[in-house]
Amino acid sequence: MRVLALADEPPHGAIPELVAATRPELIVLLGDLEPAWTNGLEAIDLPKLGVLGNHDSPGALEGVGAEEIHLRRVEVGGCSFSGFGGSPRYSEHGENEWTEDEAAELVERLPAADILLTHSPPEGVNDDPSDPAHRGSPTLRRWVERNRPAWLLHGHTLPDPARPVHRLGDTRVVHVRGAMAVELR
């Protein structure tokens, strides 16, 4: 299944042009997408799934016709998807932020699936442990190691280009920033 994944910064072209060029079967949104960056997405007649990032407002996904899958499992094109949104808490009142204790409670409700969509990555996966906002979640890492989804797509961080993580055990990892076509097979 070919997906067009969007996260964290403007795509390198207009959404309708990217869809025409990449011919995805599904569009996934991994959070922190400003409305101007998704202009035209609501008119694209394809399934759209997503999770909210730490800077997204409630209703951001619905506004572009995407189904929010935070702590849910859905089936599209013969593949199952589940999602985990938000980021580690780094501000006093961050709406889509969680402490690690809160993440542990949330992850207990995260259903297993073939493909996991997250905003923030698991601990040790394209994260920055020295930055409270961009450290990965140990709880999410344990979930991935236990449930072994075939794929994990995430945004949020700025990984060290000298040390990108493309696998976590059996799980293939894709870090998305901007727009990226991904062939999930």
Side-chain angles (χ1 to χ4, degrees), residues 50-173:
V51 293
L52 294 174
N54 52 299
H55 296 296
D56 289 323
S57 61
L61 293 169
E62 293 82 5
V64 295
E67 181 177 358
E68 182 175 353
I69 65 166
H70 177 67
L71 304 181
R72 297 181 48 234
R73 176 184 161 127
V74 299
E75 303 276 334
V76 176
C79 294
S80 59
F81 294 80
S82 63
F84 189 72
S87 76
R89 181 164 307 285
Y90 63 92
S91 64
E92 189 174 339
H93 301 291
E95 190 164 338
N96 298 318
E97 297 174 14
W98 30 258
T99 65
E100 195 56 33
D101 287 342
E102 291 167 335
E105 290 178 20
L106 293 169
V107 165
E108 286 182 21
R109 300 186 347 234
L110 180 60
D114 301 322
I115 299 138
L116 177 62
L117 307 179
T118 70
H119 180 59
S120 293
E123 178 182 54
V125 176
N126 302 316
D127 66 343
D128 182 353
S130 66
D131 179 355
H134 296 103
R135 67 184 184 275
S137 167
T139 299
L140 186 58
R141 182 183 181 102
R142 288 189 296 275
W143 185 95
V144 171
E145 290 171 336
R146 183 176 62 251
N147 290 283
R148 299 188 326 227
W151 292 89
L152 163 65
L153 281 67
H154 77 87
H156 186 58
T157 57
L158 295 166
D160 181 341
R163 294 182 308 203
V165 175
H166 299 291
R167 289 193 88 77
L168 177 55
D170 294 334
T171 301
R172 288 173 272 188
V173 175

Side-chain angles (χ1 to χ4, degrees), residues 6 27-31 33 38 41 48-51 61 64 66 117:
L6 305 168
I27 297 173
V28 298
L29 297 96
L30 304 175
L33 293 163
T38 57
L41 185 56
K48 301 173 200 103
L49 303 175
V51 293
L61 293 169
V64 295
L117 307 179

Side-chain angles (χ1 to χ4, degrees), residues 13-21 39-41 43-44:
I15 297 288
E17 293 169 9
L18 290 173
V19 168
N39 191 27
L41 185 56
I44 302 296

